[in-house]
Amino acid sequence: MDFNNLLIETAAGVATLTVNRPQALNALNGEVLTELAAAFYQLEYDPAVKAVVLTGAGEKAFVAGADIKEMAAMNSYEGHQFALKGQHCMMAMEKMRTPVIAAVNGFALGGGLELALGCDFIYASEKAKLGFPEVTLGIMPGFGGTQNLARLIGKNRANELIFTGKMVTADKALAWGIVNELFPPEELLPKAQEAAAAIAGVGTLGVAYAKNAIANGLNMTKEDGFRYEASLFGVLFATADQKEGMAAFVEKRKAVFTGK
Ligand code: HXC
């Protein structure tokens, strides 16, 4: 599929998906969101893709937010629909079996930070700046940010970030647990691709079920989450990957996983 605002490159099980609208600091308009949803679907069902790295084009921004020029003219109904459209993308990433790593190469603001938070984890450049400036525009986060940020770092830190609208440095985002690791700008993409390659090299179904257990378990009681985990664990013993992974260990060789 051809996209106007996205680039996709796939190599050795890893797809690098780049939001490519650098003239607007990769801001998310309706068309970009439509394309992102289609790209996630395409990547999820591409057998050559086992992990995804999501980044932004150019040196300045990951994504500087939802497109303010497009939102400026929206009425209440359109704003609601726009929020739902962005949330659909975040949910699509959460429901994908394929892990998505955000490589935050610059500004990740508003809907851009929400896009990163929708990924399975975040690596960032040491120069990245993150924040939720929505309140400075008279609005609030609407692509799942209030939910994902509070679940990730807790209510009080989420409140501070969202109520003040202030940007934080990459160091602070790391200290607060928004970002897993920081890298010099030129190392960020290779490091994210390296992590994705590590994921691509292990048992695909084990990764997919673990992702499913973590994402769904967060919405369950601990006891239900334990039960759910055990069920998925049991199912893995019906897979070729479990037979291969354990046989390879016993035979002291490298496992060759098929994702079946
Ligand atoms: C549309 C944007 C944009 C955005 C930048 N641009 N961010 N266009 N929507 N979110 C455009 C600028 O208009 C400009 O184009 C070009 O990108 C370069 O940006 P500059 O502002 O000239 O760059 P700079 O001075 O370096 O400032 C960088 C910046 C600033 C600090 C990141 O661009 C900025 O504050 N952007 C807005 C950030 C923001 O408020 N994001 C949250 C949006 S609300 P032109 O053609 O004019 O030169 C949101 C809601 C999500 O995300 C939920 C929705 C439901």
Side-chain angles (χ1 to χ4, degrees):
M1 198 180 206
D2 284 337
F3 297 110
N4 292 330
N5 306 280
L6 304 177
L7 302 170
I8 300 178
E9 279 175 44
T10 303
V14 175
T16 302
L17 171 60
T18 305
V19 180
N20 185 33
R21 220 189 147 213
Q23 71 282 8
L25 302 187
N26 305 319
L28 305 173
N29 61 17
E31 185 183 56
V32 181
L33 294 175
T34 300
E35 292 190 353
L36 276 173
F40 293 141
Y41 187 87
Q42 178 179 313
L43 294 170
E44 173 73 342
Y45 293 103
D46 183 343
V49 174
K50 309 234 180 290
V52 177
V53 173
L54 175 60
T55 194
E59 295 186 352
K60 209 163 157 183
F62 172 69
V63 168
D67 191 311
I68 300 168
K69 291 169 191 165
E70 192 176 84
M71 283 189 296
M74 286 181 186
N75 62 28
S76 176
Y77 171 78
E78 289 161 343
H80 184 204
Q81 294 303 309
F82 188 61
L84 291 176
K85 191 172 188 183
Q87 289 177 0
H88 175 86
C89 289
M90 310 310 155
M91 272 299 173
M93 281 192 281
E94 188 169 313
K95 292 192 181 304
M96 281 166 73
R97 67 174 166 80
T98 317
V100 184
I101 304 170
V104 171
N105 51 310
F107 288 113
L109 301 175
L113 181 49
E114 294 179 294
L115 186 66
L117 290 168
C119 296
D120 292 294
F121 59 88
I122 305 174
Y123 284 171
S125 149
E126 291 161 351
K127 293 194 175 151
K129 292 249 174 71
L130 298 86
F132 279 111
E134 280 90 340
V135 292
T136 69
L137 299 164
I139 57 167
M140 61 179 277
F143 292 162
T146 58
Q147 305 308 301
N148 280 337
L149 188 68
R151 279 169 172 77
L152 183 66
I153 65 173
K155 176 175 77 75
N156 288 20
R157 283 177 168 172
N159 285 346
E160 185 181 335
L161 209 58
I162 291 171
F163 298 171
T164 63
K166 286 204 173 127
M167 285 188 221
V168 294
T169 61
D171 283 330
K172 183 148 179 179
L174 180 69
W176 276 16
I178 299 172
V179 165
N180 280 18
E181 208 167 334
L182 300 182
F183 299 99
E186 66 283 2
E187 285 178 27
L188 171 66
L189 195 57
K191 288 290 184 188
Q193 287 167 332
E194 205 177 285
I199 293 169
V202 295
T204 311
L205 291 172
V207 171
Y209 286 15
K211 173 169 170 171
N212 184 324
I214 293 167
N216 286 301
L218 281 170
N219 299 320
M220 295 179 189
T221 63
K222 188 159 146 182
E223 203 175 357
D224 284 345
F226 270 45
R227 236 191 307 275
Y228 189 57
E229 179 189 77
S231 305
L232 292 176
F233 184 82
V235 173
L236 287 171
F237 283 75
T239 67
D241 276 1
Q242 177 269 334
K243 306 278 175 272
E244 167 63 9
M246 294 192 179
F249 177 83
V250 172
E251 293 160 17
K252 300 190 187 299
R253 61 174 175 81
K254 194 173 173 344
V256 181
F257 292 110
T258 55
K260 290 180 182 156

